Amino acid sequence: MNLTTPFSILLVFCLAGCAASTTSVLPLTVDGDTFLVSQREQKIYDLSERAHQTMLRKGLLVSDQQANAYLNRVGSELVPTLAGVAPNFNFYIVKEASVNAFAMPNGNIYLHVGLLANLDNEAQLAHVLGHEIAHVVQRHSYIDRIDTHNTLVAAHVADLFLFGTGLAYIPAGMNLASYSRNQEEESDTLAIDYVSSQHYDLRESIQLFHHLNEVKHTKEVGSVWASHPLSTARFNRATQIIDEMQIDTKSGVINRELYQDFRQRIATISIERRLASQQFELAEDAVMREIEQQGNDANWQYYLGEIYRLRAQHPQAAAKEYAWLYDKNNHKELEKSFIDAGDDNKKLAIEHYQLALTLNPLDFQSHRGLGLLYIYDDNPNAAKQHLQRYLTQPEKPKDWRYISSLQAKLNKDS
Amino acid sequence: MIITRISKLLLLTTIVFSTGCATYTSVREHASLAEVASDLDSVVVAPPQVNIELRVFTGENEPLTDKEDMVRDQLITLAEKRLQEEGLKVINFDFENAIANDEDLAFSLTQAKEALDHAKKDLYSGKAVAVEDKAQFRASLGPAVNAIAEHTGAETVLLMDYYGFEKSAGLKTKDAAAGILLAVLLGSSNAAISAPSGSFVDLALVDTASGDVLWTNRRGGQAVNALIAEHAFNEFPDVAWESEAVIPTMNTDMESTVADSENSAAKVIPASYDPDATTAEDTADTKAAIATQPINQ
């Protein structure tokens, strides 16, 4: 059997793949007109455009004009002067509750509502934006793609010698917004540069990492904004960089109130996305943060009611979240403890819904919550009463069909 | 003695194996499907989620967009045809245009798919389901699909999720080389080589008012086309939908007039009509409509 042919083919691939070098990739601030010259960079640019269209088609981008205008104003002011051909920078808010932000090589920068809900002011926002802008300016996606290609080709050959068992083969995947440790550090350094050029208070850049470190339960995989060990390291590095650059940190723009106005427009999206993902504890954290920032009102009490109701109704999901957050095994005892806590959770749900109605008797969504809770609690009369109250609100609710179908089932069963 | 012992063991194993061999199914049906179906008459096919990629040697997998468009069209055509054959009224709705102009509808569709993913975890977790047990399930997407009802007027929606891959020449060569090397080392004359292509489809029919999952099925195959969906549809439940109900006709003029007015009154009642509800806008309109129907003599 002739074994040389497949090896020859693989060797050709390896040599071809290893030919590309990252040292010839210039940042967009340096005149060299190399942007989009290579086919590989054009490919990742096209993929970025495609990813954006997909997000639009799925309705994943927040369309609030005021919120978007604010974000784009802050972001565009941070973009450094670019030389030659360069992408346009656009900033978007994603309806995703995890603490994350990412940049695509086509200049589109996306911030999750989950991250935005955890920032305190515009200066902290500026640092996040500056960091993501730096990834685009430095063409990190393209550099990463060259490095990955070389690594993968080599891994394939190694894999072959390990007889296709996959032991050495780690697929690089299509993650255009995934960067190396060095690239993240470079972006942090440049972010400080961009932020100081717009006279933001650099103490907030340092405070950002300290603050994110305090955010409970940040476990999102692949997010540099949600890793505690990374945040500590970045906090230390940021302090060191600012010292070395001898930048004045005694004063600067913070714009806390402007930022809070912006946050309020998108605050509930983060909570609702957590609930949809059955992340009840994280949803509770988000609600408590809003109560701290904006004060208590019927809306937040309603969401607390929802959290406790859903915890009671979905104890397995609650146990799974707990196991994930606290690195426990999701074993039967853990599930049982959440099932046993069902009555307590129902009681707490009722308390919060009723408090919401006390704060605002026209809080119809709390009637909905109570109705659903009483269905689960096998109290059809109370359920019907509250669901009926919900349906009689002046503006027809969007889920009237679902609620009416529940009423029909209750009537049929009684 | 040894041979006898081995034979007995083989016989025992055969008996255990054959009695334990039930026919399993990937179909899941609502526990009260027949009853629910009698109140439903229309369906809309949501735009299928289709992802087909070319897996390449370098790992820089590429989407096969032309193939995705082709399979998407095939799936929609197939689904509409089969659902019509099953007796449902298929509603034509331009989702692409509606989604482009309505972020809420676009997001509702995303949420519906996410809710379905959650429901499928419950429907397909645990041990395999025997054919005779396929119609014992209750799962709901909640209100996530109400927006589809609002925009299309359809009482049910078909959701489809399709994934496919093809391997590049370079990757096929690598797989072949790996298989050959392994065979050589093991002294085997057969080289096991992984498939050059594959596809998987997930279908779900959902009640757009209650969110109840009425029927789901999933299939995999080697070809990257809509054929696996065709196979999945072959297991669509044989139930009587409201659109298939036959309304008896009367002989005399007077009786037929009365029957016509009764039938007209029956048609205006929405599927979710609650005779006890007195203040919901729709039911109030419905009651008013019935009250003003002229009674012919």
Side-chain angles (χ1 to χ4, degrees):
Chain A
M1 174 177 289
N2 184 3
L3 297 177
T4 58
T5 307
F7 281 109
S8 307
I9 293 168
L10 281 167
L11 194 59
V12 167
F13 272 117
C14 186
L15 289 172
C18 295
S21 162
T22 61
T23 54
S24 56
V25 179
L26 299 171
L28 296 173
T29 45
V30 173
D31 200 354
D33 273 346
T34 61
F35 180 65
L36 285 187
V37 164
S38 90
Q39 226 179 357
R40 181 174 281 136
E41 192 169 30
Q42 182 65 57
K43 208 189 248 189
I44 62 174
Y45 185 95
D46 292 342
L47 284 169
S48 310
E49 294 286 302
R50 188 163 183 262
H52 182 73
Q53 291 307 315
T54 301
M55 279 193 276
L56 267 177
R57 236 188 348 266
K58 292 188 172 190
L60 288 172
L61 302 180
V62 170
S63 62
D64 185 305
Q65 283 186 351
Q66 260 183 272
N68 282 319
Y70 171 78
L71 185 67
N72 276 273
R73 197 255 312 150
V74 175
S76 57
E77 284 171 1
L78 290 163
V79 176
T81 306
L82 306 174
V85 177
N88 291 324
F89 281 81
N90 301 297
F91 304 88
Y92 300 96
I93 306 166
V94 185
K95 292 175 195 169
E96 169 53 50
S98 56
V99 178
N100 206 356
F102 58 99
M104 294 294 228
N106 63 350
N108 285 352
I109 288 168
Y110 303 90
L111 285 82
H112 290 188
V113 290
L115 172 62
L116 293 169
N118 273 292
L119 302 181
D120 282 335
N121 53 56
E122 190 175 298
Q124 290 179 5
L125 171 66
H127 188 94
V128 173
L129 288 170
H131 176 99
E132 299 303 331
I133 288 167
H135 279 312
V136 181
V137 168
Q138 299 301 110
R139 297 162 78 185
H140 283 162
S141 278
Y142 178 36
I143 293 170
D144 202 50
R145 189 51 71 97
I146 294 170
D147 282 340
T148 304
H149 175 94
N150 291 343
T151 308
L152 251 188
V153 169
H156 265 297
V157 176
D159 178 49
L160 197 62
F161 284 102
L162 287 165
F163 315 122
T165 55
L167 287 175
Y169 176 53
I170 302 163
M174 291 284 290
N175 196 336
L176 300 171
S178 174
Y179 307 107
S180 68
R181 185 72 174 260
N182 288 343
Q183 289 171 338
E184 294 294 351
E185 286 179 0
E186 186 180 36
S187 290
D188 268 341
T189 306
L190 285 167
I192 289 171
D193 192 27
Y194 301 157
V195 162
S196 71
S197 72
Q198 294 304 310
H199 313 294
Y200 282 105
D201 190 335
L202 279 172
R203 288 171 295 184
E204 292 300 322
S205 289
I206 298 168
Q207 187 60 22
L208 169 68
F209 299 117
H210 181 64
H211 178 66
L212 287 178
N213 226 5
E214 284 180 342
V215 172
K216 232 180 7 160
H217 313 314
T218 45
K219 300 268 295 199
E220 272 82 31
V221 173
S223 170
V224 296
W225 299 106
S227 157
H228 281 177
L230 266 178
S231 289
T232 305
R234 292 168 84 191
F235 171 87
N236 293 332
R237 242 190 120 256
T239 312
Q240 189 188 342
I241 292 166
I242 290 166
D243 279 343
E244 283 169 5
M245 286 164 93
Q246 295 180 327
I247 302 170
D248 175 23
T249 57
K250 290 197 187 70
S251 63
V253 174
I254 295 180
N255 280 347
R256 196 181 304 275
E257 289 75 28
L258 259 181
Y259 186 75
Q260 290 305 325
D261 285 342
F262 163 71
R263 253 184 88 263
Q264 278 176 30
R265 304 188 76 85
I266 55 173
T268 56
I269 301 174
S270 176
I271 296 164
E272 286 174 359
R273 294 300 278 154
R274 287 290 188 201
L275 289 176
S277 304
Q278 296 186 322
Q279 291 173 347
F280 309 124
E281 191 162 334
L282 291 174
E284 189 173 357
D285 287 348
V287 172
M288 297 314 291
R289 196 165 42 244
E290 294 313 314
I291 291 176
E292 196 185 298
Q293 301 268 0
Q294 300 185 43
N296 194 16
D297 69 17
N299 200 34
W300 309 130
Q301 289 304 316
Y302 159 72
Y303 279 118
L304 287 173
E306 286 289 272
I307 288 160
Y308 284 107
R309 173 176 72 82
L310 290 167
R311 254 196 200 125
Q313 280 181 232
H314 302 284
Q316 286 85 3
K320 196 174 163 189
E321 184 200 14
Y322 186 88
W324 172 59
L325 291 175
Y326 298 101
D327 293 323
K328 304 281 184 203
N329 287 324
N330 189 10
H331 47 73
K332 291 295 174 196
E333 284 81 31
L334 185 59
E335 272 188 29
K336 188 178 178 303
S337 70
F338 277 90
I339 294 169
D340 290 345
D343 283 344
D344 288 340
N345 283 325
K346 277 189 269 183
K347 199 167 146 219
L348 284 164
I350 291 170
E351 278 175 22
H352 285 292
Y353 287 133
Q354 285 176 346
L355 179 53
L357 287 167
T358 304
L359 292 169
N360 178 9
L362 296 179
D363 185 50
F364 292 101
Q365 55 190 1
S366 289
H367 283 295
R368 177 188 189 276
L370 283 164
L372 295 177
L373 181 68
Y374 285 126
I375 288 177
Y376 177 69
D377 204 29
D378 209 18
N379 187 341
N381 289 332
K384 278 194 263 188
Q385 190 188 346
H386 284 288
L387 292 181
Q388 193 53 42
R389 191 78 187 90
Y390 173 69
L391 287 176
T392 57
Q393 60 181 292
E395 198 177 313
K396 191 194 245 181
K398 288 183 181 174
D399 62 348
W400 68 267
R401 285 181 173 82
Y402 173 62
I403 301 299
S404 301
S405 74
L406 291 176
Q407 280 187 320
K409 282 177 190 166
L410 286 170
N411 288 327
K412 192 181 153 207
D413 293 342
S414 62
Chain B
M1 181 97 166
I2 294 170
I3 292 171
T4 311
R5 198 178 283 176
I6 290 171
S7 300
K8 278 185 181 172
L9 188 61
L10 272 172
L11 181 62
L12 185 63
T13 309
T14 308
I15 291 168
V16 168
F17 185 75
S18 57
T19 53
C21 250
T23 309
Y24 296 111
T25 179
S26 50
V27 172
R28 303 289 185 267
E29 283 179 19
H30 191 279
S32 309
L33 179 57
E35 187 189 338
V36 170
S38 64
D39 277 336
L40 302 169
D41 72 353
S42 58
V43 65
V44 70
V45 177
Q49 190 158 281
V50 177
N51 290 304
I52 302 173
E53 61 178 358
L54 177 70
R55 291 187 186 168
V56 299
F57 182 83
T58 58
E60 295 171 14
N61 297 343
E62 298 161 18
L64 292 169
T65 48
D66 287 345
K67 200 139 213 177
E68 285 177 352
D69 291 342
M70 180 194 77
V71 168
R72 192 177 292 114
D73 289 343
Q74 282 178 349
L75 287 171
I76 293 172
T77 306
L78 167 71
E80 288 179 347
K81 174 174 169 284
R82 293 301 295 265
L83 290 166
Q84 202 154 31
E85 285 168 1
E86 295 294 340
L88 281 160
K89 237 179 345 187
V90 175
I91 290 180
N92 287 315
F93 182 77
D94 186 354
F95 272 101
E96 292 305 321
N97 188 43
I99 285 166
N101 293 306
D102 188 335
E103 174 213 333
D104 282 342
L105 175 63
F107 191 49
S108 293
L109 270 169
T110 298
Q111 287 179 302
K113 284 175 184 166
E114 285 174 355
L116 181 60
D117 285 342
H118 276 304
K120 281 193 292 193
K121 277 182 195 154
D122 293 332
L123 290 167
Y124 287 100
S125 68
K127 50 184 185 174
V129 168
V131 169
E132 53 269 23
D133 295 330
K134 69 180 179 186
Q136 295 186 13
F137 293 89
R138 286 191 190 275
S140 175
L141 308 193
V145 285
N146 280 185
I148 296 173
E150 186 72 25
H151 281 81
T152 68
E155 291 178 328
T156 65
V157 59
L158 184 77
L159 301 171
M160 291 187 276
D161 203 339
Y162 183 101
Y163 170 74
F165 74 89
E166 291 179 352
K167 287 184 182 170
S168 67
L171 197 56
K172 283 185 212 172
T173 305
K174 178 244 172 189
D175 284 348
I180 291 165
L181 262 179
L182 190 62
V184 163
L185 275 163
L186 295 177
S188 166
S189 57
N190 294 319
I193 299 169
S194 61
S197 64
S199 60
F200 179 83
V201 75
D202 234 326
L203 312 179
L205 185 72
V206 179
D207 182 330
T208 55
S210 64
D212 286 343
V213 179
L214 304 175
W215 172 84
T216 70
N217 198 2
R218 42 178 46 173
R219 275 261 190 257
Q222 195 164 326
V224 181
N225 54 34
L227 191 60
I228 46 171
E230 178 95 55
H231 295 148
F233 268 114
N234 288 343
E235 294 176 290
F236 198 78
D238 185 20
V239 291
W241 302 95
E242 190 190 37
S243 37
E244 293 179 289
V246 175
I247 299 166
T249 55
M250 297 291 189
N251 287 328
T252 67
D253 287 344
M254 184 184 291
E255 282 170 331
S256 66
T257 308
V258 170
D260 282 346
S261 70
E262 281 176 346
N263 290 336
S264 301
K267 277 174 194 162
V268 303
I269 299 173
S272 58
Y273 172 59
D274 175 8
D276 289 337
T278 54
T279 53
E281 192 184 316
D282 270 28
T283 52
D285 287 345
T286 304
K287 281 198 167 178
I290 292 169
T292 56
Q293 278 288 332
I295 298 170
N296 295 314
Q297 296 183 4

